[in-house]
Amino acid sequence: MTTAHVRPRVLMVVGAYFPELAGGSLQCRTLIGALRDRVDFSVFTTTADRSLPGAAEIEGVRVDRVFVDVKHPATKLTATAAMLGRLPALTASHDIFHFHGFTEKMLPLVAAAKLARRPTIEKMTSLGWDDPVSIERRPHGWWLRAAMRRVDRFVAINPAMRDRCRDAGIPDAQVRTIPNGVDTTRFSPVDAARRREVRARLGLPASATVVAFVGFWSREKGPHLLFDAWTRARRATDHPTVLLYIGSTNAAHAEVDATLVQQVRDHVTRDGLEPWVRFVEQTPAVESYLQASDIFVLPSAREGLSNALLEAMAVGLPPIVTAIPGATDAVIEEGVTGWTVPPGDRDALAARLQQLFLRPDCGAQVGRAARASVVERFSITAVADAYYDLYRTVIAPLG
């Protein structure tokens, strides 16, 4: 390999990819879109959906998939065999392997990259899960630790991630701090007239306050906490409000807790809340739902740098988020661009929702400041420039 390649050839290795929707896949796709004029990308991913083809072209990008069902371990063996069969072609046709998150598929791919002298980049996605300290603590994650020690560069998406790298003994020279980025043109505010149009199209009430949640139905994401807090605030104010859940409730996804879904659905039915609680399983137009909303809530127990939070802020929604040191507090300026509440504190979340139900002007002011902050700090244009510089840097020593 030489630096004669005018355009870096980058293999994106991610847990899922479009049309499957997840935080990592969405960020990966956004970055690809922002750099398509400077970088040649292809994607290697896994899927639990047998209907998706093993190879496809999506928006001009080659996407290779191997099937894995986490509930059936035998599929990991067939996936590994399929992956090994593709390694020679993957290493021959790419200059860089860019991993999004630490996953089991990393070990053979990192080994192949090393043998072929291809640099590797690891973007860490979530504190407490795939940061280096957490990887080192996993009792049976020897393959991840082995892969981690052979990565050439790490991308920390927030200050806490960089601190974890230092704690794990990773030299600062191997770490770049690059946040997630958001397309602030796609995710942008709409005026009152346009909002009415969007609500009418989506079947949402014209005058109710819409509270939005985006994410899988897992306990870590906390949709049940939001439901409890929302019902309390609704009863306390007798305010017309819709709770809008955007994200899969399908138990086929490993992240989804089916008992949690059923618990909330039972409460909705019992209390006659069907007109006021909406479930959107999957949508390629999440920006429309956010533009139709008034408040965004992120009640997660664990995050890295939430794409959903950045997108909601870019749309101009006032956010209420769980306080996660080094993660959410790196995004939110308390009382200026949003509010934080203690993890698992339903009372605090209900009180903040109640305040915003009664003072929509306060929410609108914070939403404007949130939008300005994201445009300044998390624009995908600046993030893409940082990744392009990183790609050129890691290629240069091997030229």
Side-chain angles (χ1 to χ4, degrees):
M1 182 183 69
T2 72
T3 55
H5 294 305
V6 175
R7 295 162 61 94
R9 302 172 303 173
V10 179
L11 177 67
M12 301 295 238
V13 183
V14 65
Y17 196 71
F18 188 82
E20 294 182 294
L21 302 178
S25 68
L26 291 170
Q27 188 63 207
C28 184
R29 183 184 175 207
T30 301
L31 181 60
I32 288 173
L35 280 174
R36 66 172 60 254
D37 61 334
R38 289 180 280 175
V39 178
D40 291 327
F41 286 105
S42 60
V43 175
F44 185 82
T45 186
T46 52
T47 182
D49 186 349
R50 288 190 181 275
S51 69
L52 292 174
E57 185 170 298
I58 298 176
E59 299 167 334
V61 175
R62 165 85 179 198
V63 178
D64 285 292
R65 297 185 180 89
V66 293
F67 175 80
V68 177
D69 185 344
V70 295
K71 298 177 182 178
H72 296 87
T75 63
K76 291 185 179 182
L77 297 177
T78 56
T80 300
M83 187 188 311
L84 292 174
R86 299 184 194 185
L87 285 180
L90 291 175
T91 54
S93 57
H94 296 93
D95 303 320
I96 300 168
F97 282 40
H98 183 170
F99 299 94
H100 296 255
F102 277 113
T103 63
E104 294 178 16
K105 71 173 78 71
M106 279 188 69
L107 188 57
L109 290 168
V110 169
K114 284 298 174 185
L115 287 172
R117 299 182 67 242
R118 300 297 192 261
T120 52
I121 297 170
E122 165 56 32
K123 175 192 171 184
M124 300 164 286
T125 60
S126 184
L127 283 171
W129 176 249
D130 66 354
D131 63 84
V133 172
S134 298
I135 292 294
E136 291 287 354
R137 289 174 179 168
R138 289 195 200 179
H140 305 296
W142 64 267
W143 55 87
L144 294 178
R145 292 191 290 272
M148 180 184 71
R149 295 182 188 121
R150 288 162 177 79
V151 168
D152 295 298
R153 292 290 188 278
F154 294 83
V155 173
I157 57 176
N158 59 42
M161 285 283 194
R162 185 159 197 124
D163 290 343
R164 293 288 179 92
C165 289
R166 291 188 177 118
D167 292 342
I170 297 173
D172 283 352
Q174 278 187 256
V175 183
R176 289 279 187 99
T177 302
I178 306 176
N180 288 344
V182 61
D183 182 344
T184 56
T185 300
R186 176 186 172 195
F187 292 91
S188 59
V190 294
D191 60 24
R194 175 61 178 157
R195 177 170 295 188
R196 287 193 296 270
E197 292 175 7
V198 174
R199 285 196 178 189
R201 175 165 52 85
L202 299 177
L204 295 169
S207 58
T209 298
V210 178
V211 179
F213 166 94
V214 180
F216 283 106
W217 273 73
S218 68
R219 291 195 178 275
E220 286 187 335
K221 289 294 183 182
H224 58 305
L225 301 177
L226 173 56
F227 179 77
D228 289 348
W230 174 80
T231 53
R232 293 183 194 188
R234 180 176 180 270
R235 285 195 300 264
T237 59
D238 194 27
H239 187 81
T241 171
V242 170
L243 180 53
L244 179 61
Y245 284 115
I246 306 168
S248 178
T249 65
N250 187 345
H253 294 113
E255 300 92 337
V256 172
D257 185 332
T259 60
L260 202 65
V261 175
Q262 195 58 52
Q263 172 189 322
V264 172
R265 286 191 182 276
D266 287 345
H267 278 289
V268 169
T269 301
R270 183 194 66 198
D271 297 337
L273 294 172
E274 289 91 341
W276 305 104
V277 180
R278 304 293 179 86
F279 297 87
V280 179
E281 288 293 316
Q282 180 172 310
T283 175
V286 67
E287 69 274 16
S288 294
Y289 286 94
L290 292 175
Q291 289 165 342
S293 300
D294 299 286
I295 302 166
F296 176 79
V297 180
L298 182 76
S300 303
R302 176 172 61 83
E303 284 290 346
L305 180 54
S306 168
N307 297 309
L309 171 60
L310 298 182
E311 291 166 356
M313 292 173 69
V315 168
L317 298 185
I320 308 171
V321 306
T322 299
I324 303 174
T328 54
D329 61 2
V331 179
I332 300 296
E333 183 178 356
E334 189 69 28
V336 178
T337 60
W339 297 272
T340 59
V341 296
D345 193 332
R346 293 169 170 83
D347 293 336
L349 179 51
R352 184 61 66 187
L353 284 171
Q354 183 175 335
Q355 180 190 50
L356 292 180
F357 290 169
L358 298 174
R359 287 284 311 279
D361 57 321
C362 177
Q365 179 180 346
V366 168
R368 289 190 292 271
R371 161 75 179 176
S373 176
V374 166
V375 169
E376 179 182 356
R377 301 168 58 202
F378 301 105
S379 167
I380 189 59
T381 302
V383 168
D385 287 343
Y387 271 110
Y388 183 72
D389 179 69
L390 177 58
Y391 292 157
R392 301 301 301 178
T393 298
V394 298
I395 289 176
L398 299 180

